[in-house]
Amino acid sequence: MKLDDISLEGKCLRLSEVVEDVALPKTADAQYPGSHCAFRTVAGILPLIKNSYGLLLGPAICLYNAKLTVNIRSLTSDPRPNNLLFLTYSQDDIIFGFHKKVREAILEVDRKYHPEVLFLVTTCLQEIIGEDFDASVEEIQRMVKARLLVIHTDNFTCEDAAPGIENVFLSLSELMEPQETVEGSINLLGFWTSKAKTTELARLLGSEGIKIKNAIPSYCSPEDLSRAPGVSLNIALDHFALKLAKKMKEMFGTEYIYCERPYHPDSIELWYQKIADASGIDLDLKVADLKRETEELISQAKGSFSGKSCALFGQPGRTLDMAFLLSELGIELKAIMLHRLLSDDYRDAQKLLAEGIDPLVFRGDNALQTEKLLSTLRPDICIGCRDYGVLARQGIEPCMLIPSHFKLGFEATNEILNLMRQEPAGFWALRYKEQLLNNGAV
Amino acid sequence: MKKIAIYGKGGIGKSTTTANVSAALANLGYKVMQIGCDPKADSTSMLMGGRPLPTILETLRNKNNSEVALNDVVFRGFGGVLCAECGGPTPGMGCAGRGIIASFEKLASLNAYEIYRPDVVFYDVLGDVVCGGFAMPLRKGYADEIYIVTSGEKMSLFAARNIARAVDQFKGWGYAQLKGIILNARGVAEESELVKRAASEIGTDVVAEIPRDPRIQVCEEKNMTVIEGEPDSSLAETYRRLAQKIVD
Ligand SMILES: Nc1ncnc2c1ncn2[C@@H]1O[C@H](COP(=O)(O)OP(=O)(O)OP(=O)(O)O)[C@@H](O)[C@H]1O
Ligand SMILES: [Mg+2]
């Protein structure tokens, strides 16, 4: 495959060329305000904390983008409640400072909505002006019942949303209080959907007398959070949550392990082993049974997928382990959309490379470039891409994995195999539209 | 119309000098406008009999922007000098530089210069040009000429050099040009020579030497310029000579 004739040259690397824990090369300076804008991303996370409101402060366009993100999500199979409030800044606020307006807004929100927690999310604007937002909020804190938590999102200082997301996780530690440790209880950190307690992991742990006390953020309440330190173990499922795990260790001495979401059965087996070891239980037999079932499903699925090609978009946890699963199904991996390689990814990358699998990796800072790459590579399937319009235009089959995010362990992989056979709802309409256009409709 | 920006180290005597020169020019029959570009808003106080002016930014904030008229923000002081103060936030809050920009934009949108047609406009800018906003008077269409006020004190000369360097950096942007240095003496040994040497290093001249003189405080106490309070003094004469030089 040749990339020389398109504007992507030098922006796509082979996996074998990528170094550990370094952001992939930036593909555009003007970036699509998606996952790169912490303000927008944080707006999407705050609804996951019960009894909270988020007050988003910034210029109208930033607020609009945040609102749009939340609205778009409300149309997916993982909608979140809307707990966001917006405060626009005018030129006067920039000149004279935000303090007075912010104070009035906080007092009003406290009076009208009675949130237990009120997140105050900044945009680049305050950060550039450099007003001491934290100190001014500290002063207001004395006047309100709501617990005020400031989330800084100074996007111009970084290339992705990670610092903003980490700030949300770290702010949650401020709600926590020292607790007596309840033996045989754990927290899942970095579980981004509801239903953590019905996952396969929860069932397996439960069968050995270990309870999941909290899943964070996962619609936990401030009260849940205040008691969260009273567990014998924190399991951090992603690197954002790892920050919180480390903070809780520092503040309360809570032990933690870091086990990113796996996808390949061998990896899931090791993942369970690590969790079992840290919890002092033995899950080997149960895990072996589940693994056998999943392997069975994989070998059945090979018939439908073998020989197809795909592009894979970043997934929760170990994206490259998912790539390994796909290659196991006989799918040729043409490209993986990733922002950076973390240490686990690096190990997974070595595994792929050892099998002679060396796909392109691409950061895709700009939606047009991503479409260009897809139209150049022409994969049969696109996994995890949410821009169905592009896929319909390019004649690529979409695969939507959101329901698998509600699951953990082999069941997640089983769900993925299931979802790969389904077309996302409504996609036929987009395809029909493309057909009409191709047939000369205006 | 001559548009002149006055820069210099904080507290060195920019406002005192500017107000006296404005007053002197007014007495010579010129139509003068003085715009204080400092959140402290104290530039024109000696011309206004000590009356604090409603600042442009406060007025914009309290009134509907479109309702703000020129006579809400520009006031006649001693000798008919048109006085305006940009104003700005409380120290440590907001963005004073943005405030200067917004005030200038407002004056321009109200056609202040076209309507008043002053012969000379002075921008009295606060001590240090810390960000783009405080360089606003230097921009094209605002000031054409810059004077730096300095004493022979080390830090004051340091600030003067620093401002001169900034002005030099804007060469080619069509910004205002440095016209000279005004020595406002503090009584440093061999002050005149020191400042002259610094001026020639910067590539400019000392256009006036104003002595340190207690009459300034006496007049200040009465909320007056020396031109108003001690018109026959030699100090008043010095300000008048400087004023004449600036308009020539
Ligand atoms: N030639 C002088 N002789 C005696 N006192 C003077 C002289 N020039 C200025 N002063 C005094 O110095 C003080 C500061 O002057 P002024 O307010 O004009 O400084 P400034 O440069 O405008 O300060 P800022 O940077 O704070 O705006 C004044 O109170 C004034 O009385
Ligand atoms: Mg002054």
Side-chain angles (χ1 to χ4, degrees):
Chain A
M1 180 222 34
K2 267 175 50 197
L3 282 179
D4 342 327
D5 52 339
I6 61 172
S7 54
L8 298 166
E9 203 195 352
K11 292 171 178 170
C12 283
L13 295 180
R14 287 280 164 199
L15 184 57
S16 51
E17 295 167 314
V18 182
V19 200
E20 180 180 355
D21 207 8
V22 167
L24 295 179
K26 191 149 98 176
T27 65
D29 281 309
Q31 300 185 7
Y32 179 71
S35 53
H36 311 293
C37 175
F39 186 70
R40 225 173 113 145
T41 314
V42 167
I45 302 174
L46 299 183
L48 290 170
I49 306 300
K50 259 194 212 159
N51 309 339
S52 80
Y53 274 86
L55 180 59
L56 289 88
L57 318 152
I61 183 66
C62 300
L63 303 185
Y64 176 78
N65 273 329
K67 205 175 228 182
L68 189 67
T69 308
V70 177
N71 286 349
I72 289 174
R73 184 180 274 282
S74 71
L75 303 173
T76 69
S77 49
D78 181 19
R80 292 172 186 173
N82 186 348
N83 65 345
L84 303 182
L85 302 163
F86 299 90
L87 186 66
T88 335
Y89 282 153
S90 65
Q91 169 149 279
D92 270 354
D93 303 319
I94 294 165
I95 296 168
F96 289 100
F98 311 107
H99 181 72
K100 196 162 159 261
K101 187 167 188 171
V102 169
R103 180 174 57 201
E104 279 162 17
I106 293 175
L107 293 177
E108 188 183 333
V109 171
D110 192 57
R111 204 169 49 236
K112 273 196 187 153
Y113 301 99
H114 313 293
E116 283 179 41
V117 170
L118 178 59
F119 293 99
L120 302 158
V121 190
T122 69
T123 40
C124 301
L125 194 59
Q126 286 110 312
E127 311 292 350
I128 293 169
I129 291 169
E131 199 168 296
D132 192 346
F133 195 66
D134 300 68
S136 82
V137 167
E138 225 172 274
E139 186 197 50
I140 303 166
Q141 177 68 80
R142 285 177 234 131
M143 306 173 208
V144 293
K145 276 216 193 94
R147 182 66 198 272
L148 305 178
L149 294 175
V150 176
I151 311 292
H152 291 279
T153 68
D154 38 351
N155 236 70
F156 56 93
T157 59
C158 55
E159 284 185 351
D160 61 26
I165 304 173
E166 287 165 7
N167 285 343
V168 176
F169 271 101
L170 290 175
S171 78
L172 299 181
S173 71
E174 291 181 38
L175 300 172
M176 297 179 179
E177 282 159 23
Q179 305 286 320
E180 293 264 327
T181 303
V182 179
E183 286 307 322
S185 67
I186 61 148
N187 289 325
L188 281 184
L189 311 184
F191 194 76
W192 295 80
T193 62
S194 57
K195 302 185 190 158
K197 289 179 184 171
T198 62
T199 56
E200 177 186 286
L201 173 69
R203 283 200 305 280
L204 285 193
L205 291 174
S207 71
E208 296 294 321
I210 292 187
K211 275 213 173 68
I212 293 184
K213 187 166 178 198
N214 290 297
I216 298 172
S218 193
Y219 300 99
C220 55
S221 66
E223 161 118 41
D224 296 334
L225 286 163
S226 78
R227 292 205 292 246
V231 293
S232 43
L233 185 68
N234 273 329
I235 300 177
L237 292 173
D238 60 36
H239 63 281
F240 305 120
L242 180 61
K243 293 269 171 188
L244 178 60
K246 286 181 175 166
K247 185 84 191 171
M248 287 176 74
K249 168 80 181 158
E250 186 187 303
M251 289 171 73
F252 310 103
T254 317
E255 296 299 332
Y256 69 88
I257 51 171
Y258 179 39
C259 330
E260 280 199 282
R261 255 173 199 271
Y263 293 96
H264 189 278
D266 292 343
S267 312
I268 301 171
E269 185 178 31
L270 291 172
W271 183 76
Y272 269 126
Q273 219 162 59
K274 186 170 177 181
I275 294 172
D277 287 350
S279 323
I281 54 175
D282 183 354
L283 293 172
D284 286 357
L285 286 174
K286 288 168 190 154
V287 166
D289 283 347
L290 290 167
K291 187 182 181 196
R292 212 169 305 117
E293 265 170 50
T294 299
E295 282 173 339
E296 182 61 29
L297 288 172
I298 289 174
S299 66
Q300 283 165 18
K302 275 182 189 164
S304 351
F305 296 112
S306 187
K308 292 204 172 175
S309 63
C310 87
L312 172 62
F313 283 62
Q315 292 296 311
R318 293 161 58 180
T319 304
L320 296 181
D321 193 46
M322 163 113 52
F324 201 56
L325 171 72
L326 296 171
S327 74
E328 178 97 34
L329 289 167
I331 296 175
E332 180 205 351
L333 273 155
K334 289 200 160 173
I336 301 177
M337 314 298 170
L338 265 186
H339 211 273
R340 65 165 55 229
L341 278 199
L342 299 162
S343 54
D344 268 6
D345 293 324
Y346 191 66
R347 275 193 298 276
D348 290 335
Q350 300 308 314
K351 217 165 59 177
L352 285 169
L353 293 170
E355 299 279 321
I357 303 160
D358 192 9
L360 290 172
V361 282
F362 183 61
R363 220 171 92 164
D365 289 324
N366 173 313
L368 292 175
Q369 289 175 332
T370 305
E371 178 158 4
K372 190 141 205 179
L373 182 70
L374 291 175
S375 80
T376 309
L377 298 177
R378 303 219 146 270
D380 299 314
I381 321 169
C382 212
I383 296 173
C385 171
R386 299 203 183 169
D387 198 343
Y388 297 149
V390 168
L391 302 185
R393 218 164 22 241
Q394 301 299 337
I396 300 169
E397 277 175 52
C399 172
M400 189 276 294
L401 298 183
I402 293 176
S404 73
H405 301 165
F406 289 77
K407 313 205 160 183
L408 265 181
F410 294 103
E411 62 168 10
T413 300
N414 300 351
E415 178 75 6
I416 288 165
L417 295 171
N418 179 31
L419 289 166
M420 285 178 68
R421 294 204 179 82
Q422 292 175 21
E423 185 172 276
F427 187 70
W428 64 269
L430 291 173
R431 206 164 1 151
Y432 182 59
K433 176 184 143 199
E434 288 307 316
Q435 232 171 52
L436 291 178
L437 289 173
N438 288 336
N439 292 338
V442 184
Chain B
M1 194 191 312
K2 240 184 184 8
K3 291 169 160 181
I4 297 159
I6 310 289
Y7 282 90
K9 186 183 175 334
I12 202 59
K14 296 179 293 294
S15 300
T16 308
T17 308
T18 312
N20 275 287
V21 171
S22 288
L25 284 172
N27 277 355
L28 288 170
Y30 291 95
K31 200 173 204 184
V32 186
M33 187 168 186
Q34 180 168 330
I35 302 171
C37 309
D38 183 335
K40 286 200 301 295
D42 64 347
S43 170
T44 58
S45 124
M46 275 180 252
L47 296 166
M48 295 301 305
R51 180 159 74 92
L53 295 186
T55 68
I56 300 175
L57 290 173
E58 272 306 330
T59 310
L60 282 177
R61 199 183 189 193
N62 296 335
K63 265 195 172 178
N64 197 336
N65 195 330
S66 61
E67 286 168 12
V68 174
L70 260 187
N71 58 13
D72 292 325
V73 293
V74 181
F75 303 87
R76 274 176 209 281
F78 173 80
V81 176
L82 298 158
C83 298
E85 295 282 354
C86 293
T90 315
M93 295 188 113
C95 180
R98 183 71 224 169
I100 304 287
I101 295 172
S103 310
F104 276 42
E105 282 172 356
K106 190 63 197 177
L107 283 176
S109 79
L110 290 171
N111 297 319
Y113 307 114
E114 291 79 358
I115 289 170
Y116 291 124
R117 301 178 156 277
D119 302 307
V120 188
V121 180
F122 286 106
Y123 301 99
D124 173 16
V125 190
L126 106 176
D128 289 293
V129 187
V130 284
C131 71
F134 291 99
M136 187 70 180
L138 302 177
R139 292 189 193 176
K140 208 188 274 182
Y142 293 101
D144 327 295
E145 300 179 354
I146 299 161
Y147 289 90
I148 300 175
V149 180
T150 183
S151 69
E153 288 161 304
K154 200 172 162 193
M155 291 321 287
S156 176
L157 285 171
F158 181 80
R161 284 198 185 90
N162 209 21
I163 294 160
R165 200 173 320 124
V167 172
D168 194 48
Q169 228 160 55
F170 291 131
K171 216 164 46 197
W173 288 20
Y175 274 33
Q177 292 298 304
L178 183 58
K179 285 298 271 196
I181 282 188
I182 298 167
L183 163 55
N184 195 28
R186 278 287 171 91
V188 177
E190 297 183 45
E191 196 160 21
S192 174
E193 282 61 44
L194 264 173
V195 175
K196 274 186 190 141
R197 211 177 311 134
S200 87
E201 277 166 30
I202 295 169
T204 189
D205 299 313
V206 177
V207 293
E209 292 190 21
I210 300 160
R212 186 160 188 80
D213 192 324
R215 257 173 284 213
I216 286 185
Q217 275 78 27
V218 174
C219 293
E220 203 173 49
E221 200 53 44
K222 295 185 278 184
N223 292 312
M224 283 179 183
T225 57
V226 175
I227 299 291
E228 183 182 4
E230 298 265 359
D232 301 324
S233 61
S234 61
L235 183 59
E237 191 47 37
T238 309
Y239 281 125
R240 276 191 287 268
R241 273 203 307 274
L242 170 59
Q244 197 61 59
K245 221 171 190 173
I246 287 175
V247 282
D248 283 347

